[in-house]
Amino acid sequence: MLWLADNDEKRIARGVAKGDKRAMRALYALVAGSMSSACRRYITQDDDAQDVVQDAFLSIITHIGDFVYQGKGSLRAWATRIAVNQALNFLKRQQQQPLLLNEELLGDLADDDSPPDLYAMDADRLHALIRSLPDGYRTVFNLYAIEGKSHREIAALLGIKENTSASQYHRAKAMLARQIKQYLSQNSPSHEA
């Protein structure tokens, strides 16, 4: 029981590989939060995101033998990558086409020289604004800005062109900046007076 308290990732992985239920509970406690956060960045419906987390957890248990310990936090990082991949697969199944948005729908999203003040906004509201982006924009934004993928990697993952990924990211960033500024202007103390 001590290894559960120590949260030793190698021991947890070995226990899961042996079918130890305590190890599976410890694994879930260790990775569920980051997996859920990752899935919710890509999938806007909470029920769907939770289903994807469950599918990802089953995949993790099934493929625990593929895990290679690379230091503290590597089990959580590995599990989160699996969750992101599951979320992307879910979105691909839902779309039945590449995750793109008809750019004519949004009109001109010209860049404003002044970036929004992110420190004036709480993290939950920022997360909600990111989740409100259209699927294609949100997916590319998350892969590039959060996951650190290159446009080449994103293009390969989503089956799109590299310059399409860059364009989607640019538009997502512009749309998000506009939404943040709008939110801040509507919720500033001077606006409420």
Side-chain angles (χ1 to χ4, degrees):
M1 190 69 154
L2 179 61
W3 62 274
L4 293 176
D6 288 344
N7 207 16
D8 183 345
E9 296 175 357
K10 285 193 269 189
R11 289 184 182 159
I12 291 172
R14 282 194 299 260
V16 170
K18 292 177 183 176
D20 184 324
K21 301 281 189 226
R22 292 176 305 159
M24 289 181 199
R25 284 192 295 274
L27 174 65
Y28 188 80
L30 178 67
V31 302
S34 60
M35 288 173 55
S36 181
S37 293
C39 287
R40 288 178 41 116
R41 282 196 310 266
Y42 293 92
I43 301 169
T44 58
Q45 297 298 317
D46 289 338
D47 290 342
D48 290 338
Q50 193 57 40
D51 288 345
V52 170
V53 169
Q54 290 175 358
D55 291 344
F57 192 71
L58 290 175
S59 181
I60 288 164
I61 290 172
T62 304
H63 296 98
I64 195 72
D66 297 339
F67 170 67
V68 177
Y69 182 77
Q70 298 176 349
K72 186 174 178 156
S74 61
L75 183 56
R76 180 178 291 146
W78 180 75
T80 302
R81 277 194 309 276
I82 290 173
V84 167
N85 288 336
Q86 290 280 350
L88 293 174
N89 288 336
F90 173 84
L91 290 174
K92 287 177 187 176
R93 286 190 306 271
Q94 296 297 318
Q95 295 290 327
Q96 299 300 325
Q97 60 188 354
L99 290 170
L100 300 177
L101 183 70
N102 183 346
E103 295 188 5
E104 296 171 7
L105 296 175
L106 296 175
D108 186 25
L109 291 176
D111 281 335
D112 183 344
D113 289 340
S114 61
D117 181 10
L118 296 179
Y119 296 107
M121 168 175 270
D122 67 89
D124 289 337
R125 185 63 198 153
L126 180 59
H127 181 75
L129 290 176
I130 292 171
R131 287 184 81 194
S132 75
L133 292 171
D135 287 348
Y137 288 10
R138 184 180 61 253
T139 301
V140 170
F141 180 84
N142 281 315
L143 287 169
Y144 187 84
I146 308 294
E147 308 297 335
K149 301 281 186 199
S150 70
H151 289 300
R152 177 174 287 160
E153 291 169 314
I154 294 168
L157 277 170
L158 301 180
I160 60 177
K161 294 179 181 177
E162 194 173 334
N163 63 346
T164 302
S165 174
S167 173
Q168 294 272 307
Y169 174 72
H170 174 75
R171 289 182 149 268
K173 194 170 76 166
M175 179 181 272
L176 185 59
R178 186 177 67 194
Q179 289 176 337
I180 291 168
K181 287 178 183 179
Q182 181 179 11
Y183 174 81
L184 292 175
S185 72
Q186 291 173 348
N187 293 286
S188 69
S190 62
H191 186 270
E192 295 171 3

